[in-house]
């Protein structure tokens, strides 16, 4: 048996990205009736497709906007606590990983639009640090670093970048402290 050609692979990941993005967009139109499992799977598919080299075409701007506001709505109330934690981890890892894949593709957009998007997503990322499960902090941290670097183009204040990174680092250290404290309590 032969391996699929690179054209077949790229076509498949492009279709996966397109269909997942369209389906997630439909779901976002009615957030009260979003299915958490489907949301998690769709965001995971978007991240997987982008990580595999899918081409978002001209949709990267709207994808970033949508992904930044995507979350779980808690409709899976009957699910065990461990499932909810796992779902949050998967969603946050996929969400921030996908945004990280899309950020380098923003270069062709208007500077004013880019600045607004970057600042909004950066603010959302910084707000998410405390609520993001510890195993999903890596992709969030990587994304915030990319966003902060891009935002420096627009925010000339040198202290701004340092303050942003300080906020993230402080939170990460606090989480490490809590994590090591809870582990020592168990021993």
């Amino acid at each position: 048996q032969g391996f699929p050609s690179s054209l077949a692979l790229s076509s498949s990941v492009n279709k996966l990205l397109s269909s997942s993005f369209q389906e997630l967009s439909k779901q976002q139109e009615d957030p009260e009736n979003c299915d958490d499992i489907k949301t998690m799977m769709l965001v995971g598919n978007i991240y997987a497709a982008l990580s595999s080299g899918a081409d978002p075409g001209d949709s990267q701007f709207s994808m970033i906007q949508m992904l930044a506001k995507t979350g779980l709505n808690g409709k899976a109330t009957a699910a065990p606590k461990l499932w909810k934690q796992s779902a949050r981890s998967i969603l946050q890892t996929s969400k921030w990983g996908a945004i990280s894949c899309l950020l380098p593709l923003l270069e062709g957009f208007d500077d004013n639009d880019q600045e607004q998007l970057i600042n909004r997503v950066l603010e959302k990322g910084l707000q998410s640090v405390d609520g993001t499960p510890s195993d999903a902090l890596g992709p969030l941290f990587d994304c915030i670093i990319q966003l902060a670097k891009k935002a420096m183009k627009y925010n000339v204040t040198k202290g701004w970048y340092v303050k942003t990174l300080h906020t993230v680092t402080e939170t990460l250290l606090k989480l490490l402290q809590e994590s090591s404290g809870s582990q020592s309590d168990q021993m």
Side-chain angles (χ1 to χ4, degrees):
Q1 282 186 339
F3 291 101
S5 73
S6 59
L7 289 176
L9 286 175
S10 68
S11 173
S12 295
V13 294
N14 287 339
K15 285 179 187 173
L16 177 65
L17 178 62
S18 176
S19 64
S20 297
F21 176 58
Q22 288 173 2
E23 189 64 31
L24 189 61
S25 297
K26 287 179 193 171
Q27 246 194 291
Q28 296 290 323
E29 291 171 6
D30 188 13
E32 290 298 315
N33 293 315
C34 284
D35 178 359
D36 283 348
I37 295 171
K38 191 170 188 177
T39 299
M40 181 183 63
M41 286 180 19
L42 291 169
V43 174
N45 286 346
I46 289 170
Y47 181 38
L50 289 167
S51 296
S52 300
D55 179 10
D58 294 332
S59 301
Q60 60 267 39
F61 201 86
S62 54
M63 278 187 193
I64 292 172
Q65 286 177 316
M66 185 185 58
L67 287 166
K69 65 182 181 181
T70 299
L72 300 177
N73 65 9
K75 291 288 183 182
T77 51
K81 183 179 179 181
L82 183 60
W83 182 91
K84 291 177 186 177
Q85 290 172 335
S86 297
R88 269 191 24 231
S89 293
I90 293 167
L91 181 82
Q92 294 296 323
T93 298
S94 299
K95 169 182 173 170
W96 296 109
I99 291 172
S100 291
C101 291
L102 291 165
L103 286 173
L105 306 174
L106 283 180
E107 296 309 317
F109 288 91
D110 178 61
D111 275 355
N112 191 36
D113 291 341
Q114 249 191 85
E115 178 182 9
Q116 289 177 11
L117 176 68
I118 288 168
N119 287 331
R120 269 194 314 258
V121 177
L122 182 58
E123 184 180 320
K124 185 78 168 167
L126 291 171
Q127 291 169 353
S128 298
V129 171
D130 284 330
T132 299
S134 58
D135 55 352
L137 283 172
L140 174 59
F141 188 69
D142 291 343
C143 190
I144 287 174
I145 300 263
Q146 279 188 57
L147 286 162
K149 284 180 182 177
K150 283 191 168 293
M152 277 185 67
K153 177 179 177 182
Y154 309 107
N155 297 302
V156 194
T157 315
K158 292 184 181 191
W160 178 87
Y161 185 68
V162 173
K163 181 181 172 192
T164 301
L165 290 180
H166 179 72
T167 302
V168 174
T169 305
E170 239 178 24
T171 305
L172 287 171
L173 290 173
K174 184 171 67 174
L175 288 169
L176 284 172
Q177 184 180 11
E178 289 173 9
S179 169
S180 63
S182 65
Q183 287 177 355
S184 63
D185 292 342
Q186 294 173 355
M187 293 182 177

